[in-house]
Amino acid sequence: MSNVIRFALLGCGTVGSGVVELTTRNAAYLATRVGAPLELARVAVRDASKARAAKIDPALLTTDVARVLEDSSIDIVVEVVGGEEPAGSWIGAALRRGKSVVTANKSLLAARGPQLLSIASEHRADLAFEASVGGAVPIIRTLRDHLVADWVRSLRGIVNGTCNYILTRMRDESASFESVLAAAQELGYAEAEPSLDVDGHDAAHKLCVLALLAFGASVRPEDVPTEGIRAIEPVDHRFAARFGYGIKHLAVGRETAGRELDLRVHPALVPLRMPLASVDGVLNAIALEADGAGSQVLVGRGAGSLPTAVSVVADLIDCARNRRAGVSGLQTIGLDVTRRPIAAPQSQEALWYLRMRVADRPGVLAQIAGALGAHEVSIEQMVQEGGGRRASDRQGTDDTRVIVMLTHEAVEANVRAALLSIDAMSFVHGRSLALRVEG
Amino acid sequence: MSNVIRFALLGCGTVGSGVVELTTRNAAYLATRVGAPLELARVAVRDASKARAAKIDPALLTTDVARVLEDSSIDIVVEVVGGEEPAGSWIGAALRRGKSVVTANKSLLAARGPQLLSIASEHRADLAFEASVGGAVPIIRTLRDHLVADWVRSLRGIVNGTCNYILTRMRDESASFESVLAAAQELGYAEAEPSLDVDGHDAAHKLCVLALLAFGASVRPEDVPTEGIRAIEPVDHRFAARFGYGIKHLAVGRETAGRELDLRVHPALVPLRMPLASVDGVLNAIALEADGAGSQVLVGRGAGSLPTAVSVVADLIDCARNRRAGVSGLQTIGLDVTRRPIAAPQSQEALWYLRMRVADRPGVLAQIAGALGAHEVSIEQMVQEGGGRRASDRQGTDDTRVIVMLTHEAVEANVRAALLSIDAMSFVHGRSLALRVEG
């Protein structure tokens, strides 16, 4: 063992501290796996005087990222600052200098993954990003290396821990979205500005990263129809359970019969017998259907310092071994990324869960059924319940009824149009909800 | 792209045919991932005239394995014949000639994994075996590469598809072990000689392979206390469900508080809310607890031509890339394998499910409770039911009662001793059953 592999951290927050902890604690074993010791050479931070969870030699701290990127003795850069810029420029610069890069940055990869991969390939550097989706779940490695001779037809992921945590507590406590969000914010499971998570944007970023590897597709978040979980109410969990389903916030990607990609992010009803339905709290999971392998499900911690750092360090070790062997860039060479046709939004068929609140008066159901029928949406099951009997149900008053339906296969555009005309009816209270049934 | 990577198949049954199919169908893409075309150079079989599922150029077929092993133009050998010998000698010979080896052979790896790994390491060859456990489930890659900086504390696997298929049908159809086994044999899901699967030996082999990577432990199947599923009856599924559990056949490995390894294979009660409980039919799954990553569960097809071949070909591509880059052997270098202390059998505490059949007469329960108490086994819940009311319950007669209990934490040796004294009581019919509650 002669050469030392030197790596630098850009950023040293929650994940960065975990990386320092794991590489320090396992230094001897990791050296045997790499065939050379790993050395933390630099830690670039915005404020060198800030207190940090990880024990770091103060001499390693720097605020000068450019110097780190220019340091030719540094083999690998680990970027854990997040966000598109300046992280994107830093990663580009590191790759162009032939440094391998490990990143957990899903928003950057969603926006510029294919470009960065081609820069990496051109400069014979590795670009590794296991931690960008699913935290500790080995989904990137599985898609990239394990299913190398297989063809993924569909994937469904619970990839946002905040949404899953909120939905789980809403179900278990019959509590409203707002009250659980507030509790999650207090516990640090949700950000003060929660929109990125609860409106589905973070999941859409992750879906773009997954689509890159699963379908070889260059997709941008703005191409992904995205819904969050704000419209879900406790009553929906109750009815879903009654029909044999759980409600999960999903990132969905699949090939249509015409080989287009149908990509979307939204809450959905998942059959309780499917493993995804029992993935609760802050856990993440990705379910795949592939031609050869059949069904696969990977479940694990989607966030947190050590769970994310486990994935970052796995990538770091891969990059270090490749670097030591002089084969950096091999991992990404031949990753096919092309623009693939995206299915028209709202063109796909699905089973739907519909929930509406209506005034308790005769003739209401006939008018609703008529509107659905006029839009070619046919009802498979229907339950009507007097509203307002549970304190936790919002907007419940004594003359309100909740009507819940499961439909037969129906095209999304038709369902949306039908609900638009239903919501315009004078006896309908608030906005009705439509959720897909998945699987 | 100049060099061609040449590989040979030893054996061409179900899995081998799948390997031929996947490498042929995806030849162009795999060549871009390797950086060189893969060429199937030889297929060694026992009978060259036999009809095969895969389309193979007859000129490639040979019955002369020695010639294949001696052919210096062959880079990688894929062994899919199974069994300890002659496969073990063939793999040893290939590795000693510096060829990389891909194998799905769990019984060989269980018996001689550490030796073969050290031969591979010495001769700078890869020894890859993703397909040996869990079929298409990427568990080997996850343990070896993804959790490289983590420490696995426990694992629980559903690793025998035959057992899981039989238990699932017994539950769903309230059917006996014997009748479902016969049906499974007819469908090809169970062998004519089913002992390897239904008595737990195959799962014990796989547990040894998992222990190698998860705990760095050299363990032999004979060191693993092993139980099969023959003693399970439909009544057990019914009571388990009533208590909130499913019955799964598990391979369990964990570190005890004293850092010993507790390894065992047996049916167990799994809480219905755990993802493992919804892994049904021929699916396999492995649940892990690791220091850094926390909980992980990987689910997928445990057997079959293409699911297994997906794992074999993933290994083949890894080996081919390493070969092309001149870094074969790097993957296994530094894999720590040592003899670790094994916990004494029956020394561990667990919660237990106990089921006994007794004559319906006064005083029975008092005597049973007395025997349990004398062995320090205390009862947490008890249900007594008149037996024989369901045609599917074996041994049921009208004067028989079924008593089912869940215990508090109790040492296995004490539970076994208590049941031995209970089964000696004149009013007890047949053998009583004790199953651990896991998780």
Side-chain angles (χ1 to χ4, degrees):
Chain A
M1 280 200 217
S2 51
N3 306 13
V4 171
I5 301 289
R6 288 164 54 86
F7 72 100
L9 272 178
L10 307 186
C12 196
T14 311
V15 177
S17 298
V19 170
V20 173
E21 183 178 336
L22 289 181
T23 50
T24 308
R25 196 203 288 171
N26 301 293
Y29 178 64
L30 295 179
T32 68
R33 286 299 297 276
V34 172
L38 273 180
E39 185 189 323
L40 177 57
R42 277 285 173 203
V43 180
V45 292
R46 202 178 311 185
D47 176 1
S49 64
K50 200 174 137 187
R52 269 158 237 290
K55 260 197 187 167
I56 297 170
D57 178 355
L60 299 182
L61 291 173
T62 175
T63 55
D64 186 352
V65 176
R67 245 189 69 203
V68 174
L69 298 175
E70 282 159 19
D71 182 343
S72 63
S73 79
I74 290 173
D75 302 287
I76 303 167
V77 167
V78 177
E79 181 270 314
V80 284
V81 285
E84 267 195 65
E85 279 302 333
S89 304
W90 293 345
I91 289 177
L95 293 172
R96 286 197 186 86
R97 285 189 173 81
K99 295 184 196 314
S100 291
V101 171
V102 177
T103 176
N105 193 332
K106 54 255 175 187
S107 59
L108 173 64
L109 289 164
R112 284 188 257 163
Q115 296 96 303
L116 291 172
L117 280 171
S118 86
I119 297 172
S121 187
E122 189 184 329
H123 294 272
R124 291 220 142 238
D126 288 324
L127 174 61
F129 45 91
E130 180 66 74
S132 63
V133 182
V137 180
I139 181 62
I140 300 297
R141 193 178 291 277
T142 296
L143 289 171
R144 186 190 62 199
D145 298 337
H146 184 68
L147 298 176
V148 63
D150 208 348
W151 193 271
V152 177
R153 295 296 176 187
S154 72
L155 61 85
R156 294 186 181 98
I158 297 172
V159 293
N160 184 277
T162 305
C163 283
N164 204 38
Y165 177 82
I166 291 174
L167 288 174
T168 302
R169 281 193 61 175
M170 285 177 66
R171 178 197 67 197
D172 293 348
E173 301 167 18
S174 281
S176 72
F177 169 79
E178 290 80 4
S179 70
V180 175
L181 172 62
Q185 285 170 322
E186 215 154 286
L187 288 164
Y189 289 152
E191 305 282 338
E193 176 36 75
S195 174
L196 188 65
D197 293 314
V198 303
D199 292 322
H201 307 303
D202 174 74
H205 294 157
K206 289 166 175 166
L207 182 59
C208 292
V209 178
L210 293 174
L212 200 67
L213 292 159
F215 306 114
S218 171
V219 185
R220 286 159 165 281
E222 51 268 34
D223 301 329
V224 178
T226 299
E227 294 167 43
I229 60 169
R230 293 187 198 259
I232 309 292
E233 299 180 18
V235 67
D236 299 314
H237 280 289
R238 193 148 42 80
F239 277 107
R242 185 162 159 181
F243 292 135
Y245 296 91
I247 299 177
K248 294 292 174 190
H249 188 251
L250 298 183
V252 179
R254 63 178 196 96
E255 279 193 346
T256 65
R259 296 285 308 271
E260 293 179 327
L261 286 183
D262 175 24
L263 301 168
R264 46 206 158 74
V265 167
H266 52 68
L269 268 66
V270 177
L272 288 175
R273 60 176 164 67
M274 275 178 59
L276 276 190
S278 54
V279 173
D280 285 340
V282 296
L283 287 177
N284 280 17
I286 293 102
L288 303 170
E289 289 289 334
D291 271 1
S295 300
Q296 301 219 310
V297 190
L298 310 184
V299 186
R301 294 291 300 267
S305 175
L306 288 184
T308 311
V310 162
S311 284
V312 169
V313 177
D315 278 349
L316 176 62
I317 297 305
D318 278 348
C319 290
R321 290 156 63 99
N322 289 345
R323 175 82 19 181
R324 174 138 168 84
V327 298
S328 299
L330 215 69
Q331 219 162 34
T332 42
I333 286 172
L335 262 188
D336 265 343
V337 179
T338 50
R339 284 221 155 260
R340 288 189 52 185
I342 305 287
Q346 305 206 359
S347 67
Q348 301 301 310
E349 286 203 325
L351 305 177
W352 293 84
Y353 163 96
L354 307 179
R355 182 256 296 154
M356 36 211 113
R357 276 204 174 71
V358 298
D360 188 8
R361 71 168 89 135
V364 158
L365 192 58
Q367 287 191 59
I368 289 173
L372 290 168
H375 290 91
E376 297 176 58
V377 179
S378 92
I379 303 165
E380 195 263 328
Q381 288 190 53
M382 199 270 296
V383 178
Q384 219 179 136
E385 201 184 81
R389 288 180 306 197
R390 298 193 177 215
S392 55
D393 293 348
R394 295 186 298 185
Q395 308 174 335
T397 60
D398 285 327
D399 72 337
T400 301
R401 285 184 164 268
V402 176
I403 297 178
V404 171
M405 296 169 173
L406 290 184
T407 74
H408 289 286
E409 290 263 321
V411 174
E412 177 173 3
N414 293 346
V415 171
R416 302 287 179 203
L419 282 196
L420 217 58
S421 72
I422 289 168
D423 283 358
M425 296 173 180
S426 62
F427 53 79
V428 176
H429 299 183
R431 275 197 69 185
S432 300
L433 177 73
L435 299 177
R436 284 173 196 76
V437 177
E438 281 287 331
Chain B
M1 279 199 216
S2 52
N3 306 13
V4 170
I5 301 289
R6 287 164 57 86
F7 73 101
L9 272 178
L10 306 185
C12 195
T14 310
V15 177
S17 298
V19 171
V20 173
E21 183 179 335
L22 289 181
T23 50
T24 308
R25 194 201 291 171
N26 301 291
Y29 178 64
L30 296 178
T32 69
R33 286 299 297 275
V34 171
L38 274 179
E39 185 190 325
L40 177 58
R42 277 285 174 204
V43 180
V45 293
R46 202 178 311 184
D47 177 0
S49 64
K50 202 174 135 186
R52 270 157 237 291
K55 259 196 185 169
I56 297 170
D57 177 356
L60 300 182
L61 291 172
T62 176
T63 56
D64 186 352
V65 176
R67 246 188 69 204
V68 174
L69 298 175
E70 282 159 19
D71 182 344
S72 63
S73 78
I74 290 173
D75 302 286
I76 303 167
V77 167
V78 177
E79 181 270 312
V80 284
V81 285
E84 266 194 65
E85 279 302 334
S89 304
W90 293 346
I91 288 177
L95 292 172
R96 286 196 187 85
R97 285 190 174 82
K99 296 185 196 312
S100 291
V101 172
V102 177
T103 178
N105 193 329
K106 54 256 175 186
S107 59
L108 173 63
L109 289 164
R112 286 188 256 163
Q115 296 95 303
L116 291 172
L117 280 171
S118 86
I119 297 172
S121 187
E122 191 184 327
H123 295 272
R124 293 222 141 235
D126 288 324
L127 175 60
F129 46 91
E130 180 66 76
S132 63
V133 183
V137 180
I139 181 62
I140 301 297
R141 191 179 292 278
T142 296
L143 289 171
R144 185 190 63 199
D145 299 335
H146 184 67
L147 298 176
V148 63
D150 207 349
W151 193 270
V152 176
R153 296 297 174 186
S154 73
L155 62 86
R156 295 188 181 98
I158 298 172
V159 293
N160 185 276
T162 305
C163 283
N164 204 39
Y165 177 82
I166 291 174
L167 288 175
T168 302
R169 281 194 59 174
M170 286 177 67
R171 178 197 68 195
D172 293 347
E173 302 166 18
S174 281
S176 72
F177 169 80
E178 290 79 4
S179 70
V180 174
L181 172 61
Q185 285 171 322
E186 215 153 287
L187 288 165
Y189 290 153
E191 304 283 338
E193 176 37 77
S195 175
L196 188 65
D197 293 313
V198 303
D199 293 323
H201 307 301
D202 172 75
H205 293 156
K206 290 166 176 167
L207 182 58
C208 292
V209 178
L210 293 174
L212 199 68
L213 292 159
F215 307 115
S218 170
V219 185
R220 285 159 164 282
E222 51 267 35
D223 300 330
V224 177
T226 299
E227 294 168 42
I229 59 169
R230 293 186 199 262
I232 308 292
E233 299 180 17
V235 67
D236 299 314
H237 280 289
R238 191 148 41 81
F239 278 106
R242 185 162 159 181
F243 291 134
Y245 297 91
I247 299 177
K248 294 292 173 189
H249 188 251
L250 298 183
V252 179
R254 62 178 196 98
E255 279 194 346
T256 66
R259 297 284 309 268
E260 292 179 327
L261 285 183
D262 176 23
L263 301 169
R264 44 206 160 73
V265 167
H266 52 68
L269 268 65
V270 177
L272 287 175
R273 63 178 160 66
M274 275 178 59
L276 276 190
S278 53
V279 174
D280 286 341
V282 295
L283 286 177
N284 279 17
I286 293 103
L288 304 170
E289 289 288 334
D291 272 0
S295 299
Q296 300 218 311
V297 190
L298 310 184
V299 185
R301 294 290 300 266
S305 176
L306 287 183
T308 311
V310 162
S311 285
V312 170
V313 176
D315 278 349
L316 176 62
I317 297 304
D318 277 348
C319 290
R321 290 156 63 99
N322 289 345
R323 177 79 24 178
R324 173 137 169 85
V327 297
S328 299
L330 214 69
Q331 217 161 37
T332 42
I333 285 173
L335 262 188
D336 264 343
V337 180
T338 50
R339 281 221 157 262
R340 289 189 49 184
I342 304 285
Q346 303 204 1
S347 66
Q348 301 301 311
E349 287 203 323
L351 306 177
W352 293 84
Y353 163 96
L354 307 178
R355 182 255 297 154
M356 36 211 112
R357 276 204 174 69
V358 297
D360 188 7
R361 70 169 88 134
V364 158
L365 191 58
Q367 287 192 61
I368 289 174
L372 289 168
H375 290 91
E376 298 177 57
V377 179
S378 92
I379 303 165
E380 195 263 328
Q381 291 189 52
M382 197 269 296
V383 177
Q384 221 180 135
E385 199 185 83
R389 289 181 304 195
R390 299 194 178 214
S392 54
D393 292 348
R394 295 185 300 186
Q395 305 174 339
T397 61
D398 284 327
D399 72 336
T400 302
R401 285 184 164 269
V402 177
I403 298 178
V404 172
M405 296 169 173
L406 290 185
T407 75
H408 290 284
E409 290 264 321
V411 173
E412 177 173 3
N414 293 346
V415 171
R416 302 285 180 204
L419 282 196
L420 218 57
S421 73
I422 288 168
D423 284 357
M425 295 174 182
S426 62
F427 53 79
V428 175
H429 300 183
R431 276 197 68 186
S432 301
L433 178 73
L435 299 177
R436 285 173 195 75
V437 177
E438 282 287 332

